[in-house]
Amino acid sequence: MRIIDYYNYIATAACAFIGAAAVLIYKKGKNADLDKDKKAAEISANAARVILLVIMLIAAAVRLIGLGSVPAGLQQDEASLGYDAFAIAKYGVDRNGFPYPIYPITWGCGGGSPLMIYINVLTIKLFGTGVVKLRLLPAILGIATVYIFYLILKEITLSYKKSLFGAAFLAICPWHIILSRWSLDSNIMPFTLGLSVYLFILGIKTGKTYIYCLSAASYAVCMYSYGSATIVVPVHLLLISIYCLRKKIISIKQLVMAVLTFVIVFAPLLVFYAVNYLGLPEIVTDSFSFNKFTASRSGEVFLRFDSTLPAALYENIRQLLITLTIGDNDEMLCHFIPGYATLFEFTFPITFLGIFLGVFLGKKDIVNKTSENIASANKESAEDTSKIGSVTDEDKRLAMDAVFVTLLISCVLLAIGIRSDVSRMVMIFLPLIYFLVKGVSFIWDRKNTFAYAVMAVILFAAVLFVKDYFVGFNERAENIFMPGYGEAAKRAYEIAGDEKEIYSTYENLSAPFVLALYYTDYDPVKFADTVVYKDETDEFRVAESFGNFRFGLPEDYADYVGKDAVLILSGSELEAIDGVPDCTVENFGRYSVVYGSGE
């Protein structure tokens, strides 16, 4: 076992012990630290700004340094997103030939949500294509998410210390660092979700209708971010709206206005779903398209109501519990490093403590709020309180807490109902980190030294993670990100042009055609006209050829060298061309381009 494996056992035991000790102190009524001068314990606004700046610089460093080389290469889904963005930006059609699709169907069944693609359309128009440019969007939005999370916590906890801890944890969290450094469509969801939650919390604080409408618009944009949002967001909004109506946090008029705003922003996607699931005909114009999927993923994603349901439910619940605790070592290596899970393997006892406090003990207001902060909140919201009736600041604090409770419930329901993985469950981790902060806050208010011990444990693990990520991640994930292949495909196309055949290996590759498309800036109209898929009806259509590219080597591929063909070979396949005369080999790491010396 590695150092981190031993460390996880020790740290888990320490976190469980500290959490239990804090509960025991609370039960016995020995909350000595609660009686201390909280004003002295709380840091100043100026100090908080300096600390926050340091946190943001750390967040930026671990998300931006070596962005084009760690991970090395491109994963097929990020190449797919990048290519459709390129095609729309430069040619006005996606790779399936549809002009400005509301929802580019990418692989045929989706797999690339529109928000990420269309934001990349803008960046490509401004800056062009490239690995760093493709990954810059999730990296920058990842950094922004740290700041938004700080603002959320500041509104709820009324404490600089606790808000800074939450921001610092998100800044060094393994899940969020890895997510921010490559361009899967779900990887911008923490930002869009965090922004939506923050605006809703501002609505609760101010009582202003236009802020609720802005939040509704932001939640609707979430629906364009990733498929799982189409389940989580409506359930979450339904639950929190019912709660806020009952507590008189929001009026019926305000709710109606927010719902109308949501529907207006969501309307184009609603039409797309109607075309695909309600039988409406495709709508294709020169300016926009509502086109149909070529296959459905419902069977691959959702549970089936047949004899397999009990076993599938059990497996999903088991998977959820593993994700909520020690993390799943069977996840794809593009999402985690073994030993570090998502939120570190040892934090779950304190996270569960926070969930218990938020779900079951929220009305007791266990997390202490200083009289100074309460007075400040009273002053800021006196005018808005009069508008909503007898709603107190404590009612608002509890409603803000309920935002995360209902979001967690919605994410749990999703996880039980689908075949989940880290990307599909992406919306669950912000509420989990919130409840971790809530658990640490409870400990902080019982015994300061216990909270600092937890922070020290997290900090040491974060240092180990950063070292292991930047030193060893490429080696672990090379079969996923396929380093060198894209460069080899680009060079092969430069040599062959559109005249000579290009034969590509399939060794240690997944859907190499889409990397070839992205790296060569291939004409999407030409691609749509010439592509031959292995199976047109497959959920994920994979091309076996397009133009002069052929994916898969002929058995006698060595005989093709120098005969109007260019080869892309893996290292193990180079042996077959030893001794071939007039042969040039250009190496790109694990892959090489082979062609006749006269070409």
Side-chain angles (χ1 to χ4, degrees):
M1 293 201 307
R2 301 171 302 160
I3 292 175
I4 188 61
D5 298 317
Y6 291 108
Y7 185 78
N8 282 333
Y9 290 127
I10 298 170
T12 302
C15 287
F17 172 80
I18 289 171
V23 171
L24 187 61
I25 292 171
Y26 168 73
K27 286 289 186 181
K28 290 187 175 182
K30 297 180 180 180
N31 300 307
D33 285 0
L34 287 176
D35 299 326
K36 292 180 180 179
D37 185 357
K38 292 294 180 181
K39 184 176 180 180
E42 185 59 71
I43 62 177
S44 68
N46 287 335
R49 292 189 190 100
V50 172
I51 296 171
L52 179 60
L53 176 60
V54 172
I55 291 171
M56 295 304 298
L57 290 174
I58 293 172
V62 296
R63 285 162 178 77
L64 293 175
I65 293 174
L67 190 59
S69 56
V70 183
L74 279 183
Q75 194 258 11
Q76 68 265 24
D77 284 323
E78 59 178 337
S80 172
L81 289 165
Y83 181 68
D84 269 320
F86 161 79
I88 294 169
K90 298 298 184 181
Y91 294 87
V93 297
D94 69 353
R95 71 172 181 250
N96 293 289
F98 291 100
Y100 299 101
I102 299 302
Y103 194 120
I105 63 173
T106 57
W107 301 96
C109 64
S113 301
L115 183 62
M116 176 76 97
I117 291 175
Y118 275 102
I119 296 178
N120 271 305
V121 168
L122 296 178
T123 60
I124 288 170
K125 284 181 176 292
L126 292 172
F127 309 113
T129 59
V131 174
V132 173
K133 296 166 189 173
L134 181 60
R135 290 175 174 169
L136 202 56
L137 175 64
I140 291 174
L141 294 184
I143 298 165
T145 306
V146 174
Y147 181 67
I148 289 174
F149 194 57
Y150 167 81
L151 295 177
I152 291 171
L153 293 173
K154 186 64 177 63
E155 293 296 339
I156 298 177
T157 68
L158 302 175
S159 167
Y160 287 121
K161 294 190 308 180
K162 295 164 185 176
S163 305
L164 289 169
F165 165 73
F169 183 85
L170 184 58
I172 60 175
C173 169
W175 158 74
H176 199 253
I177 291 174
I178 293 176
L179 166 148
S180 300
R181 293 183 61 89
W182 66 291
S183 195
L184 189 65
D185 51 347
S186 64
N187 291 2
I188 62 171
M189 175 60 80
F191 172 79
T192 57
L193 178 63
L195 180 61
S196 304
V197 167
Y198 177 59
L199 289 170
F200 195 95
I201 285 172
L202 284 184
I204 293 172
K205 176 185 177 181
T206 64
K208 295 184 182 299
T209 302
Y210 82 91
I211 296 182
Y212 279 123
C213 290
L214 285 175
S215 175
S218 185
Y219 273 116
V221 170
C222 278
M223 306 284 273
Y224 293 84
S225 299
Y226 196 58
S228 61
T230 58
I231 297 174
V232 172
V233 168
V235 174
H236 161 58
L237 290 179
L238 176 64
L239 294 176
I240 192 59
S241 296
I242 291 172
Y243 178 93
C244 288
L245 278 175
R246 292 186 61 183
K247 298 296 182 180
K248 302 185 187 306
I249 301 293
I250 190 172
S251 68
I252 293 178
K253 179 181 177 182
Q254 288 175 322
L255 182 60
V256 169
M257 293 297 292
V259 169
L260 285 175
T261 303
F262 183 93
V263 170
I264 290 170
V265 177
F266 180 60
L269 194 57
L270 189 62
V271 173
F272 174 81
Y273 287 142
V275 167
N276 277 275
Y277 301 112
L278 298 180
L280 293 184
E282 285 188 330
I283 304 171
V284 180
T285 73
D286 292 339
S287 302
F288 59 86
S289 301
F290 295 91
N291 50 308
K292 289 183 180 290
F293 290 128
T294 61
S296 172
R297 295 185 66 186
S298 58
E300 186 255 342
V301 174
F302 293 100
L303 298 182
R304 297 177 180 176
F305 289 91
D306 54 24
S307 60
T308 65
L309 182 61
L313 277 173
Y314 169 79
E315 178 59 27
N316 282 5
I317 294 171
R318 184 189 72 85
Q319 184 75 28
L320 173 64
L321 290 174
I322 291 174
T323 300
L324 293 178
T325 53
I326 60 174
D328 185 5
N329 285 335
D330 292 330
E331 276 288 352
M332 290 180 64
L333 290 174
C334 52
H335 298 303
F336 87 114
I337 295 178
Y340 295 97
T342 46
L343 311 182
F344 297 111
E345 290 191 8
F346 53 80
T347 58
F348 71 89
I350 297 175
T351 302
F352 280 12
L353 173 62
I355 293 173
F356 181 77
L357 299 175
V359 175
F360 299 106
L361 298 181
K363 292 184 179 180
K364 294 186 178 181
D365 192 27
I366 289 179
V367 179
N368 183 61
K369 303 171 181 65
T370 69
S371 58
E372 179 182 354
N373 281 327
I374 290 291
S376 175
N378 286 338
K379 182 178 180 181
E380 291 176 1
S381 57
E383 180 182 349
D384 299 315
T385 300
S386 64
K387 294 179 182 177
I388 307 181
S390 59
V391 177
T392 65
D393 292 291
E394 192 52 37
D395 291 331
K396 293 180 179 181
R397 298 271 91 70
L398 292 173
M400 293 175 185
D401 200 57
V403 172
F404 280 100
V405 173
T406 56
L407 182 55
L408 179 64
I409 291 171
S410 305
C411 292
V412 168
L413 292 175
L414 172 74
I416 291 174
I418 67 170
R419 294 177 175 87
S420 58
D421 57 29
V422 168
S423 61
R424 289 176 188 153
M425 292 177 65
V426 67
M427 301 179 77
I428 201 171
F429 296 108
L430 276 187
L432 287 180
I433 297 174
Y434 170 76
F435 288 113
L436 171 66
V437 174
K438 197 172 184 71
V440 170
S441 298
F442 175 81
I443 295 168
W444 214 330
D445 288 336
R446 266 74 233 169
K447 196 73 174 175
N448 282 335
T449 53
F450 285 176
Y452 294 136
V454 172
M455 294 175 198
V457 167
I458 292 172
L459 181 60
F460 184 73
V463 172
L464 290 178
F465 166 75
V466 170
K467 177 187 71 70
D468 283 356
Y469 178 80
F470 283 97
V471 172
F473 187 73
N474 278 345
E475 183 177 352
R476 293 178 180 276
E478 61 184 2
N479 285 348
I480 296 172
F481 289 93
M482 302 171 280
Y485 181 81
E487 291 84 354
K490 179 179 180 179
R491 177 57 179 151
Y493 192 50
E494 289 173 351
I495 297 167
D498 290 317
E499 293 76 32
K500 297 181 175 65
E501 298 289 333
I502 301 172
Y503 290 93
S504 169
T505 181
Y506 232 102
E507 186 170 308
N508 296 320
L509 293 171
S510 180
F513 82 96
V514 77
L515 272 75
L517 288 172
Y518 181 74
Y519 276 86
T520 61
D521 290 344
Y522 202 82
D523 182 339
V525 177
K526 189 190 305 182
F527 170 77
D529 289 341
T530 61
V531 62
V532 176
Y533 290 106
K534 292 183 177 181
D535 184 351
E536 278 277 359
T537 64
D538 201 7
E539 289 181 359
F540 287 91
R541 295 183 302 174
V542 175
E544 64 179 25
S545 68
F546 67 82
N548 56 326
F549 277 88
R550 305 289 178 264
F551 298 93
L553 297 174
E555 291 185 7
D556 55 346
Y557 63 86
D559 294 338
Y560 284 72
V561 178
K563 297 179 181 178
D564 291 330
V566 178
L567 307 181
I568 305 173
L569 304 179
S570 68
S572 64
E573 292 164 336
L574 288 175
E575 294 180 3
I577 64 168
D578 283 347
V580 175
D582 300 323
C583 175
T584 299
V585 178
E586 295 186 20
N587 183 265
F588 295 88
R590 297 205 303 168
Y591 300 96
S592 298
V593 177
V594 181
Y595 57 95
S597 297
E599 297 175 26

